[in-house]
Amino acid sequence: MARAGVTAERLTLVAAELADEVGLANVTVAALARHFGVKDASLYFHIKNAHDLRVRVALLALTELADRAAAALAGRAGKDALVAFANAYRDYAKRHPGRYAAMQIDLDPETAAASAGVRHAEMTRAILRGYRLSEPDQTDAVRMLHGTLHGFVSLEKTGGFRHTPRATDDSWSRTLDALDAVLTNWPPAQVAETETAR
Amino acid sequence: MARAGVTAERLTLVAAELADEVGLANVTVAALARHFGVKDASLYFHIKNAHDLRVRVALLALTELADRAAAALAGRAGKDALVAFANAYRDYAKRHPGRYAAMQIDLDPETAAASAGVRHAEMTRAILRGYRLSEPDQTDAVRMLHGTLHGFVSLEKTGGFRHTPRATDDSWSRTLDALDAVLTNWPPAQVAETETAR
DNA sequence: GTAGTAGCCTAGCTCTCCTAGGCAAACGAT
DNA sequence: ATCGTTTGCCTAGGAGAGCTAGGCTACTAC
């Protein structure tokens, strides 16, 4: 009875690969155990429960993406940085749909604060430094930027753009142009704040 | 043995309400059956399977949202229309998190084509008519707009903005200002198209 | 070498999804 | 009114997922 040598790290990595292949929803404790030639009950020695497993995948993905984004960002500024960051983001989501899906599960505040998610926020702010925005505009721009990237990639993945023939690559490129334009010329606050709700 | 009077419509509606209360993932066939005081097996007379149930919720949500957006859009144009549409979208997502989540599951092409999703696309295009964009810019703008709204709302819901104190309502308002600005002054195509990748 | 811990096991419970086959209530036609 | 026929619900049961309790064994530290 040789030991399989399962660790939480290996478990997480295989779970992430499995997620990319068959979808996050199909990453079950049982499937993972089969993959390691081990009984499912044995995995509970390494992970707390199925949700914990997914959270670990999410944290792995956040770190991986932060690393890639940081690499893409190195030595760039302005629109160049924006495009590099955005492409790293979209690229990762396309290459690793399961991990990207895991990134969307909401972590509890402490976990989120300790995650690589903060690096994402820092990098986004760093990009915006090239556009010379001061608070609170900067926060608003961070949120819009992050939202736009995520929204575009997310809709592209779920086939939301399928109905129109135009290549999504081109729309992506133009969306980045538009983001650059609006960040360069960030509009001043209109009328009253907090007056948006119907 | 009085009959419970279950129909696919009532089933879908209760499932949608349940989804808003306890999350889409917890909308199980068994829970739904309990809600109707009926055995779970009985529901398979009305729905094909659990996935079919979720799809029905998604279609319901798409229709409901399209109705609200259409009402909000009535008699408005330009930025006014943009803001009304966007607020209807965000409002619905906040009020009906479960239904909104259901809207994100990807439908197969035929189902999607027959859904109220096409009304969403039409309305988005209608809004853009006020900004006088011609193809293919219009398609790009539709995608960016849709992506930005979805992305912002989605990140807000999963707590992605939690770490910064600024009110999301204000960021939302400024994001709409920014969208209006960039649509008003849509930047011309930069350099070469399809040159975005890595 | 022996104690303790780490890693895996079996057994077994609950829950969900889903199929097969049965029975009774509602309804339409005679 | 009654006699099918359909419609709506039932029981029974299997497969698979999540998880717990408790036991055995291999490694590790001393």
Side-chain angles (χ1 to χ4, degrees), chain A residues 87 106-107 137 140 143 147-148 150-151 154 158 161-162 164 166 170-171 173-174 178 182 187-189 193-194 196 198, chain B residues 87 106-107 137 140 143 147-148 150-151 154 158 161-162 164 166 170-171 173-174 178 182 187-189 193-194 196:
Chain A
N87 280 334
D106 47 341
L107 312 171
D137 289 354
D140 297 336
R143 287 173 174 174
T148 304
H150 168 57
S154 171
T158 63
F161 297 155
R162 200 163 25 199
T164 323
R166 173 145 170 97
D170 292 336
S171 289
S173 168
R174 302 305 306 284
V182 83
E193 294 234 324
T194 57
T196 113
R198 173 165 19 168
Chain B
N87 281 333
D106 48 338
L107 312 171
D137 289 355
D140 297 337
R143 287 174 175 173
T148 303
H150 167 57
S154 173
T158 63
F161 297 155
R162 200 162 26 200
T164 322
R166 174 146 171 94
D170 292 337
S171 289
S173 169
R174 303 303 308 286
V182 83
E193 294 233 325
T194 57
T196 115

Side-chain angles (χ1 to χ4, degrees), chain A residues 80-130:
Chain A
D80 214 30
L82 171 67
V83 170
F85 181 79
N87 280 334
Y89 192 92
R90 179 162 174 248
D91 216 56
Y92 188 81
K94 288 185 122 165
R95 275 215 248 273
H96 302 292
R99 298 175 204 220
Y100 185 73
M103 280 176 52
Q104 309 311 324
I105 67 178
D106 47 341
L107 312 171
D108 60 305
E110 311 99 84
T111 312
S115 77
V118 305
R119 286 175 62 199
H120 293 229
E122 284 164 12
M123 285 188 281
T124 314
R125 283 207 131 79
I127 290 169
L128 290 196
R129 265 196 278 285

Side-chain angles (χ1 to χ4, degrees), chain B residues 104-121:
Chain B
Q104 309 309 325
I105 68 179
D106 48 338
L107 312 171
D108 59 304
E110 312 100 81
T111 312
S115 77
V118 304
R119 286 174 62 200
H120 294 226

